[in-house]
Amino acid sequence: MNKILNLLVLASLFGACQPKQTVHVMPNPDDFVRVEGPNLITPEGEKLFIKGTNLGNWLNPEGYMFGFQKTNSGRFINEMFCQLVGPDFTAEFWKAFKDNYVTRKDIEFIASTGANTIRLPFHYKLFTDEDYMGLTAQQDGFARVDSVVNWCRDNHLYLILDMHDAPGGQTGDNIDDSYGYPWLLESEASQQLMCNIWRKIADYYKNEPVILGYDLMNEPIAPYFDNMEDLNAKLEPLYKRVVKAIREVDNNHIVMIGGAQWNGNFQPFKDSKFDDRMMYTCHRYGGPPTKDAIMNFIHFRDSVNLPMYMGEIGHNTDEWQAAFCQTMQENNIGYTFWPYKKKDNSCFMGIKEPENWDKVIAFSEAPRATYKEIRDARPDQQLMRKAMMDFIENSKCENNVPQVGYIESLGLKVNQ
């Protein structure tokens, strides 16, 4: 009897030392947002009209959000920082940037405005062992997305995962951090990697109702290429291939299909309803804030009887944005404005420029094609390191400047 008691005690002590396992309740398919004709329907059976913002620049840096022009993609920014302050400090910068640029406080602020959805752009490299944002192995993509999922759950927000930068480049311009051509559309290796990453993401989040859906690739095929029509013809087969990979593990989430040429051209799609949980996503910058500006989106949406969602819009006056929001509401096209945060304004949260940031900008714009040019253009390194860390400090939610007029133009509010 004593031996049995001793074994029970040892077993209990051993169990107490083990990490506690989180018990996940398997959700029902009805626990997820679903497609019903041109509408999105919540698990409660109510129509969901998407209103929100994009967490741009956080997991896919873009130059203009730092105030850079020529240094405009993540790869260019990283190289410029390495030339400015060295690779080791640049790696430290990126970790601090990821830790502070978007936090729980930011998600709480977004929820307080009355928004219901966040779109999260990410670089595919966050789910590989490729060199990206200071890491060369053990990338932290799932850890970063997990944080946002938890914060959204606590604040009753939906989350859209957007592969903004796909393997090989799907756009061929700075926004996909590519090499100036949409190599993805012509590369078997890149297409397979894209399918593998989406399958891995879908398998990991297949039971997470906070995630509204998967935006498979952002703004494929820029309109700059002589063979644009040939590239466009390859788009729908690639979407089908990616969706097939996702459906091997996840039948719960909606897949979002973006049009060619900045998510604006839907003519390449012939088999427009190839999945029972799919919808389309468009983008619009500029033009009149009227129904005429989005008639092609409306016509396509009505012809396929599936939801259409404005994944990106913005960078305009408050008056233009308010008028366009009214147009989208009248025509049942939900929206997430771009972006949530950047240097200066035209966003939810403005980042104040730190002292000596103008010198960082000057270096980013200076000729740096040779080592001599790099040396000649480089300012004092200690001064630049301080400016970079000050930028991160100013990026924190509590140090941002809410753009009240911008937020209110979207039909949202700011609690003063």
Side-chain angles (χ1 to χ4, degrees):
M1 185 60 140
N2 287 337
K3 287 183 178 179
I4 294 174
L5 287 173
N6 288 337
L7 287 171
L8 288 172
V9 170
L10 286 171
S12 65
L13 287 173
F14 178 78
C17 294
Q18 301 308 299
K20 292 184 178 179
Q21 297 295 316
T22 302
V23 178
H24 294 283
V25 178
M26 292 293 289
N28 186 290
D30 292 337
D31 294 334
F32 296 80
V33 175
R34 68 181 188 276
V35 170
E36 192 173 286
N39 300 315
L40 295 173
I41 305 299
T42 69
E44 294 73 33
E46 300 173 353
K47 178 182 172 182
L48 171 64
F49 184 86
I50 293 174
K51 280 187 180 183
T53 187
N54 285 266
L55 300 182
N57 203 44
W58 181 38
L59 301 180
N60 66 313
E62 292 192 50
Y64 81 96
M65 298 203 212
F66 293 92
F68 310 146
Q69 296 300 318
K70 187 167 66 176
T71 304
N72 55 3
S73 71
R75 186 165 49 86
F76 289 176
I77 296 167
N78 183 75
E79 182 177 19
M80 183 271 290
F81 281 156
C82 287
Q83 294 169 347
L84 181 65
V85 295
D88 294 335
F89 186 85
T90 297
E92 294 175 18
F93 170 84
W94 284 129
K95 183 181 186 306
F97 180 85
K98 286 189 285 185
D99 287 345
N100 292 281
Y101 197 83
V102 172
T103 67
R104 177 180 287 274
K105 288 182 180 179
D106 291 286
I107 307 308
E108 290 172 349
F109 177 81
I110 293 169
S112 75
T113 68
N116 58 28
T117 304
I118 289 172
R119 181 172 178 255
L120 176 59
F122 65 87
H123 200 299
Y124 84 90
K125 290 182 180 179
L126 285 163
F127 299 93
T128 70
D129 280 339
E130 297 184 52
D131 185 1
Y132 187 63
M133 294 187 81
L135 294 176
T136 54
Q138 297 179 331
Q139 286 287 352
D140 56 357
F142 282 116
R144 298 293 173 180
V145 177
D146 279 350
S147 296
V148 183
V149 167
N150 290 330
W151 301 334
C152 285
R153 183 186 301 108
D154 293 344
N155 288 279
H156 310 291
L157 293 168
Y158 285 112
L159 181 65
I160 294 169
L161 302 184
D162 155 47
M163 185 179 281
H164 216 76
D165 314 81
Q170 78 280 6
T171 298
D173 208 341
N174 64 293
I175 61 166
D176 66 354
D177 197 27
S178 73
Y179 291 89
Y181 186 81
W183 301 107
L184 171 68
L185 277 297
E186 298 183 352
S187 168
E188 167 61 26
S190 290
Q191 291 184 19
Q192 187 58 55
L193 179 57
M194 182 183 182
C195 290
N196 292 346
I197 292 170
W198 268 122
R199 189 184 190 281
K200 182 165 64 172
I201 291 171
D203 192 33
Y204 187 90
Y205 289 115
K206 60 189 173 186
N207 296 320
E208 181 49 73
V210 167
I211 294 177
L212 191 158
Y214 307 133
D215 192 342
L216 301 184
M217 56 177 149
N218 177 72
E219 297 185 350
I221 313 170
Y224 307 138
F225 306 105
D226 293 338
N227 62 336
M228 188 176 69
E229 294 306 317
D230 292 337
L231 292 169
N232 285 352
K234 299 176 182 181
L235 188 57
E236 186 173 77
L238 177 56
Y239 274 128
K240 288 183 175 181
R241 180 174 176 178
V242 177
V243 171
K244 181 180 179 182
I246 289 172
R247 292 301 180 228
E248 290 173 358
V249 295
D250 181 355
N251 290 305
N252 292 324
H253 287 103
I254 295 168
V255 292
M256 299 182 177
I257 309 299
Q261 289 77 64
W262 314 128
N263 274 39
N265 178 10
F266 293 88
Q267 292 182 357
F269 303 127
K270 308 305 179 187
D271 184 10
S272 52
K273 295 180 77 168
F274 59 83
D275 188 82
D276 60 2
R277 282 183 179 259
M278 66 179 285
M279 61 184 284
Y280 286 89
T281 173
C282 57
H283 294 177
R284 171 68 68 193
Y285 290 97
T290 62
K291 185 176 180 179
D292 289 342
I294 55 173
M295 278 306 300
N296 60 322
F297 303 153
I298 295 169
H299 284 323
F300 181 79
R301 186 268 312 275
D302 293 345
S303 71
V304 299
N305 195 34
L306 290 172
M308 178 67 78
Y309 144 69
M310 187 75 73
E312 290 183 25
I313 188 171
H315 288 322
N316 217 303
T317 66
D318 294 347
E319 294 76 17
W320 182 92
Q321 293 182 160
F324 221 139
C325 284
Q326 182 176 345
T327 297
M328 289 186 286
Q329 290 168 17
E330 290 171 351
N331 292 279
N332 193 27
I333 296 179
Y335 47 84
T336 47
F337 269 70
W338 182 274
Y340 165 61
K341 180 187 296 190
K342 70 178 184 67
K343 191 178 86 69
D344 297 329
N345 54 19
S346 190
C347 52
F348 274 60
M349 288 290 216
I351 300 173
K352 292 180 289 186
E353 181 174 309
E355 186 179 8
N356 291 313
W357 194 251
D358 60 321
K359 294 181 175 63
V360 178
I361 293 175
F363 182 77
S364 77
E365 300 301 312
R368 290 176 284 109
T370 68
Y371 286 102
K372 184 178 186 304
E373 287 179 339
I374 293 169
R375 289 192 296 270
D376 290 346
R378 183 187 295 123
D380 180 79
Q381 290 188 45
Q382 290 305 116
L383 210 61
M384 295 302 91
R385 291 178 182 184
K386 183 178 186 305
M388 289 170 67
M389 299 313 292
D390 287 346
F391 185 91
I392 290 174
E393 185 66 24
N394 289 0
S395 298
K396 293 179 179 178
C397 183
E398 58 267 31
N399 297 328
N400 294 159
V401 181
Q403 307 296 297
V404 177
Y406 176 99
I407 295 168
E408 291 179 345
S409 74
L410 312 188
L412 303 171
K413 64 182 188 299
V414 178
N415 297 318
Q416 302 286 1

